[in-house]
Amino acid sequence: MAERVEIVEVGPRDGLQNEARPIPTARKVALVDALSSVGFRRIEAASFVSPARVPQMADSAGVMAAIRRAPGVRYMALVPNLKGQEAARAARADQIAVVTAATDGFARANLNASVADSLARIEPILREAGRDGIPVRGYVSVVTDCPYDGPVPPSRVARVAAALRDLGCAEVSLGETLGRATPEQVEAMLRAVLDELPPDRLAGHFHDTAGRAVENVEVALGLGLRVFDASVAGLGGCPFAPGAAGNVATEALARRLSALGFDTGLDPVALAQAADLARAMREG
Ligand code: HMG
Ligand code: MG
């Protein structure tokens, strides 16, 4: 039997957060509902962040309340602080994701905190989530290059990933936020992180600005990672990483993984339908 690789669909959060034009809640709900029949085990459907910082995500409670929850799918929400965690709990998120960065420059732009302060904010979130029995994913942003602090030493990424593990994150997703890393940079970064965490605790989160995200996934596959984030129709970018493109497109990644002999569990026809919906949202 083909080996399983999980694609975590992050388009409704990482994709839509970057759309400047307000998107009606009902259209976001329709996208999540379409994605729910594709075969994903996890969909990042929302984020509970400051609406002044990311206005597009301000209706996340409405999205979470209106989606049709498919059996076997966990709906994840990104939270930056306890206030976000309380909102995610009220919205019945099945999993939450916390976020920090490998550099102080990016952490300040994204979270208005240093890396150390963002980790201190994450600690009580993990404690509460533990009480709720909710698994927590930790994101590390800018794992190879930072738009503010420049090239990022792999040892620093390893340190931050280990800190998230020590706080209790079940999984650490390594964010190549700018989408410009070469496979060589990704390999060096991963080798350092793998000294701290085993591959089954890691996910790869590659943006695709330079068109090398699929190659970077292949490097990570070679080093044993089996979970990758992707965004339907390649939606998105990060509001705090100017010029960065969306995540690797789910369709392209699923096709490549199938060609390599992996089983993603995704239905290509249902995925193509969801991608049509996502493209229509981007086009207005
Ligand atoms: P802050 O600016 O330091 O200020 O926010 P604050 O904590 O004092 O709060 C300011 C205002 O926001 C207050 O409202 C708070 O109540 C409100 P006011 O009193 O002015 O009316 N507020 C909130 N409202 C709703 N939900 C909340 C919340 N928290 C505060 N949870 C903070 C710090 C971290 C909250 C802010 O900087 C923030 O929300 N940042 C998140 C930015 C974000 O969402 N970035 C994109 C996601 S990360 C990403 O895309 C990278 C990733 O994909 C991986 C990769 O590619 O690298 C994951
Ligand atoms: Mg991202």
Side-chain angles (χ1 to χ4, degrees):
M1 232 175 76
E3 193 183 348
R4 188 76 182 226
V5 169
E6 182 187 3
I7 297 182
V8 178
E9 173 57 50
V10 298
R13 193 281 302 168
D14 206 347
L16 296 185
Q17 73 180 9
N18 206 45
E19 294 294 319
R21 211 171 20 82
I23 298 170
T25 307
R27 293 191 81 180
K28 298 177 184 173
V29 171
L31 178 65
V32 176
D33 285 351
L35 291 166
S36 289
S37 59
V38 172
F40 298 106
R41 291 175 183 168
R42 285 186 280 175
I43 299 174
E44 196 169 64
S47 68
F48 294 97
V49 301
S50 160
R53 304 295 310 285
V54 189
Q56 187 67 259
M57 292 285 108
D59 62 347
S60 282
V63 171
M64 291 293 282
I67 55 174
R68 186 176 39 78
R69 295 180 188 232
V73 182
R74 284 182 286 158
Y75 297 88
M76 181 160 72
L78 180 143
V79 306
N81 53 18
L82 273 176
K83 183 172 177 143
Q85 199 238 345
E86 280 157 25
R89 181 195 284 133
R92 296 191 301 115
D94 302 304
Q95 179 165 7
I96 60 172
V98 295
V99 54
T100 184
T103 67
D104 283 327
F106 194 78
R108 287 206 177 91
N110 193 28
L111 302 165
N112 194 25
S114 64
V115 173
D117 288 346
S118 72
L119 290 169
R121 252 188 219 157
I122 286 170
E123 190 180 358
I125 301 177
L126 266 291
R127 215 173 322 117
E128 290 293 314
R131 273 192 212 120
D132 294 345
I134 297 280
V136 182
R137 148 180 275 210
Y139 282 109
V140 185
S141 284
V142 294
V143 294
T144 56
D145 292 284
C146 171
Y148 308 101
D149 294 358
V152 178
S155 58
R156 188 172 316 156
V157 184
R159 240 185 354 259
V160 177
L164 288 172
R165 173 204 59 206
D166 293 345
L167 289 173
C169 288
E171 174 186 61
V172 173
S173 180
L174 299 163
E176 205 285 89
T177 317
L178 298 192
R180 296 191 182 282
T182 63
E184 292 74 22
Q185 283 178 292
V186 169
E187 179 170 355
M189 179 275 295
L190 284 173
R191 286 195 185 282
V193 174
L194 286 164
D195 284 342
E196 293 287 347
L197 282 101
D200 63 0
R201 297 278 300 273
L202 297 172
H205 179 107
F206 296 104
H207 285 258
D208 203 17
T209 318
R212 305 197 77 178
V214 171
E215 278 176 80
N216 289 334
V217 167
E218 289 183 39
V219 168
L221 281 168
L223 291 170
L225 275 71
R226 293 293 181 268
V227 179
F228 297 97
D229 301 346
S231 190
V232 65
L235 280 178
C238 176
F240 308 102
N247 298 87
V248 63
T250 309
E251 311 84 272
L253 183 58
R255 260 196 314 273
R256 184 67 189 139
L257 288 168
S258 296
L260 290 169
F262 291 103
D263 172 20
T264 61
L266 303 185
D267 170 358
V269 175
L271 179 56
Q273 283 166 357
D276 283 344
L277 212 58
R279 273 189 291 273
M281 283 167 83
R282 189 164 47 198
E283 282 150 21

